Amino acid sequence: MGKGGGNQKGKGKDAGDAGEKGKGGKGGLKPATALNVRHILCEKYSKKEEALEKLRNGAKFDDVAREFSEDKARQGGSLGWKVRGSLDASFEKAAYELEPSTTNSPKYADIKTGFGYHIIMVEGRR
């Protein structure tokens, strides 16, 4: 996962993230040093789109992860608690911008990394 380490752009955006809090919405997220994160990893864009469609139609995140995810996180896509700096830089940036949610009604983001296409949700922050 050291692939994203040379990308300094993600680290300099913290100041911009703070500015986004003032745009309304939920008042922003408290800073966190670790996330309890789940993901669905798909090699192909079309498969990721299929998984997103199921989520949009109300399927539980962990069920979709079991069906579609192509990595070893077979427990519903759970990666467990991950500290800041331990994940791919673009994955981490997207994850830290998500509000915590449940697998029954997930708030998720989808991104592409060197590993493939990810759909990410966060269950907890600390």
Side-chain angles (χ1 to χ4, degrees), residues 83-113:
V83 296
R84 193 181 288 271
S86 68
L87 296 164
D88 178 86
S90 53
F91 182 106
E92 194 167 275
K93 182 183 182 319
Y96 274 94
E97 290 172 359
L98 282 169
E99 286 181 54
S101 58
T102 64
T103 57
N104 289 334
S105 64
K107 294 179 180 171
Y108 50 85
D110 67 298
I111 60 150
K112 182 178 189 324
T113 69

Side-chain angles (χ1 to χ4, degrees), residues 1 30-39 73 75 77-87 91-92 95-96 98-101 120-126:
M1 292 215 177
K30 290 183 199 149
T33 56
L35 297 175
N36 187 4
V37 65
R38 288 181 185 261
H39 79 148
Q75 292 130 2
S78 178
L79 296 174
W81 285 96
K82 296 292 182 186
V83 296
R84 193 181 288 271
S86 68
L87 296 164
F91 182 106
E92 194 167 275
Y96 274 94
L98 282 169
E99 286 181 54
S101 58
I120 307 165
M121 73 160 285
V122 172
E123 289 186 292
R125 296 168 63 90
R126 63 181 180 205

Side-chain angles (χ1 to χ4, degrees), residues 4-126:
N7 181 358
Q8 292 298 320
K9 289 180 188 170
K11 291 182 181 161
K13 293 215 172 179
D14 288 345
D17 290 348
E20 288 177 21
K21 289 179 186 174
K23 290 183 183 176
K26 308 236 179 203
L29 295 164
K30 290 183 199 149
T33 56
L35 297 175
N36 187 4
V37 65
R38 288 181 185 261
H39 79 148
I40 299 167
L41 173 64
C42 300
E43 220 174 274
K44 294 190 172 136
Y45 179 83
S46 59
K47 191 167 182 183
K48 186 249 329 176
E49 287 297 308
E50 221 180 306
L52 279 173
E53 187 62 30
K54 286 212 174 226
L55 290 172
R56 285 185 200 110
N57 290 331
K60 289 176 63 179
F61 192 94
D62 51 339
D63 290 342
V64 177
R66 280 187 200 94
E67 185 179 344
F68 286 90
S69 195
E70 296 171 359
D71 74 339
K72 292 181 174 60
R74 289 199 179 95
Q75 292 130 2
S78 178
L79 296 174
W81 285 96
K82 296 292 182 186
V83 296
R84 193 181 288 271
S86 68
L87 296 164
D88 178 86
S90 53
F91 182 106
E92 194 167 275
K93 182 183 182 319
Y96 274 94
E97 290 172 359
L98 282 169
E99 286 181 54
S101 58
T102 64
T103 57
N104 289 334
S105 64
K107 294 179 180 171
Y108 50 85
D110 67 298
I111 60 150
K112 182 178 189 324
T113 69
F115 300 98
Y117 296 93
H118 304 261
I119 304 167
I120 307 165
M121 73 160 285
V122 172
E123 289 186 292
R125 296 168 63 90
R126 63 181 180 205

